[in-house]
Amino acid sequence: MSLINQFIEDFASFVWGIPLVILLIGGGIYLLIYSRFLPFRYLGHSVEVLRGKYNNPDDPGDINHFQALSTALSSTVGMGNIAGVAVAIAVGGPGAIFWLWISAIVGMATKFFTNSLAVMYRGKDTEGKIQGGVMYFIVEGLGKKWKPLAVFFAVAGLVGALPVFNVNQLTQAINYILLEPNNIETGFTSSLIIGIALTLITTVVIIGGLDRISKTVSKLVPAMVALYFVSVLAILLVNYEVVFHYFGMIFTDAFAANNYKGEPLLGGLLGGLILLGIRRGAFSNEAGIGTATMAHGASKTSEPIREGLIAMLGPAIDTLVVCTLTAMAILVTDVWQTEDVNGVSLTAAAFDQAIPYVGHYLLLLCILAFSISSLFSYSYYGTKCLSFLIGAENKKYYNWVYILSIIIGATTSLSFILNLIDGFFALMAIPTMIATLILSPRVMKAAKIYFAKYND
């Protein structure tokens, strides 16, 4: 098992090398400048679209704009925001959050382009249903000769869409917050029972397909973000005297790497810190990875640019808001300097310290909503990938693998799970970013036409 762990760790480190960072962040910066910051200039308009002002029930697609964003957010607003941020701070200190923010700002431009393309170049599956996603916009936008790149994305997506990280961290949270304080023995058996319970809950929802998934998460997502926001606000109020000190450290440590404990990369500690922030940012908001294109590609709209504007709100909500809330809770309570807790346990320690007796239970409630909603959305992504590869009539087989992976995620170590998903996310980013950069002029052409009509 240790050999497998080492292999997966080496694999994740290899694919998350300098070439991928240049492709993901360099490509995102290029899209940001190429668009002349266009997505940011129309933030108000994107909120109007989200509120349903332009909804048309006759448009092609399966779900409305709000349900599409909720489905995409339910997969990104998850354990990456709670456990992923904790991992980033444990290794990189406060400065890692600055680079997390940079990845989100760049990611907003990337999401605008990728999800505009998801609607612009929708394809049809073997059952004749309209589908969207990276694999479809590669084939429809670039032509059949590019299909190997689309297949590469779909194969990587089969593993990247597995819910193992969310399940692993939810299991750890239940053990740490609920079972251990009540003197209930934790170990393989307790983790297995949790995994089986999650399997049963997930099965009920995912068998209902996209319609049931989107309706469930469109109710869960706003509620869970609101509860989390109020809980962290309480923590910041309790520790108000140090809030500005730690908020300032996010900026000062970003360039000094004073608290970075990881491997030096890209020429030193600062390079390692930057890569850590970008990697955790990509894990959190998935900008440039391509998963969200499968949800937004199913949106009921005939305006690709409109969907791109909706999608770009994802990194803003996910990383600039939710991840920052987690980071500040961990920093102001000073638990980030302890050595005996990691991942979600670090966030739980922060909640427990600031809001005695009930804080960790509030966090557990948020974690349950975050994780379970993610379980629903990722199953949809995986079935879309399998449908593209071997036909829509066979997509149901992915759900059996998916359900089995919940048990594996609940009973396997964090480092193995984190490196596995990190590695396959990186592989998904390669075809996503290559195709997006090639097709970006077509998005800008469509954007000029759309905004000319909007401004009139």
Side-chain angles (χ1 to χ4, degrees), residues 181-252:
N182 292 295
N183 298 317
I184 297 171
E185 188 178 343
T186 59
F188 179 81
T189 304
S190 67
S191 297
L192 182 63
I193 292 167
I194 293 166
I196 292 168
L198 290 173
T199 299
L200 294 173
I201 295 167
T202 307
T203 303
V204 171
V205 175
I206 65 175
I207 284 174
L210 177 60
D211 185 56
R212 186 181 291 175
I213 291 169
S214 64
K215 284 178 179 173
T216 304
V217 299
S218 64
K219 292 181 177 67
L220 263 178
V221 169
M224 68 187 184
V225 172
L227 176 63
Y228 196 61
F229 182 83
V230 171
S231 301
V232 175
L233 200 61
I235 293 173
L236 298 183
L237 287 171
V238 169
N239 297 278
Y240 71 92
E241 71 280 357
V242 294
V243 168
F244 289 108
H245 167 70
Y246 280 116
F247 192 74
M249 277 186 72
I250 290 174
F251 294 91
T252 55

Side-chain angles (χ1 to χ4, degrees), residues 8-16 20 152 156 159-160 279-280 283 289 416-430:
I8 295 295
E9 185 180 335
D10 292 344
F11 156 69
S13 298
F14 173 74
V15 290
W16 271 104
L20 184 71
F152 182 88
V159 179
R279 192 165 160 178
R280 295 277 63 80
F283 186 84
I289 307 301
F416 174 82
I417 295 297
L418 193 59
N419 286 320
L420 178 73
I421 301 302
D422 263 359
F424 279 90
F425 264 29
L427 294 180
M428 292 168 75
I430 296 168

Side-chain angles (χ1 to χ4, degrees), residues 387-410:
S387 174
F388 177 81
L389 291 169
I390 62 172
E393 63 279 4
N394 297 309
K395 66 183 180 183
K396 60 182 180 289
Y397 297 118
Y398 184 79
N399 285 334
W400 298 112
V401 176
Y402 189 86
I403 287 164
L404 177 64
S405 77
I406 294 176
I407 304 291
I408 295 169

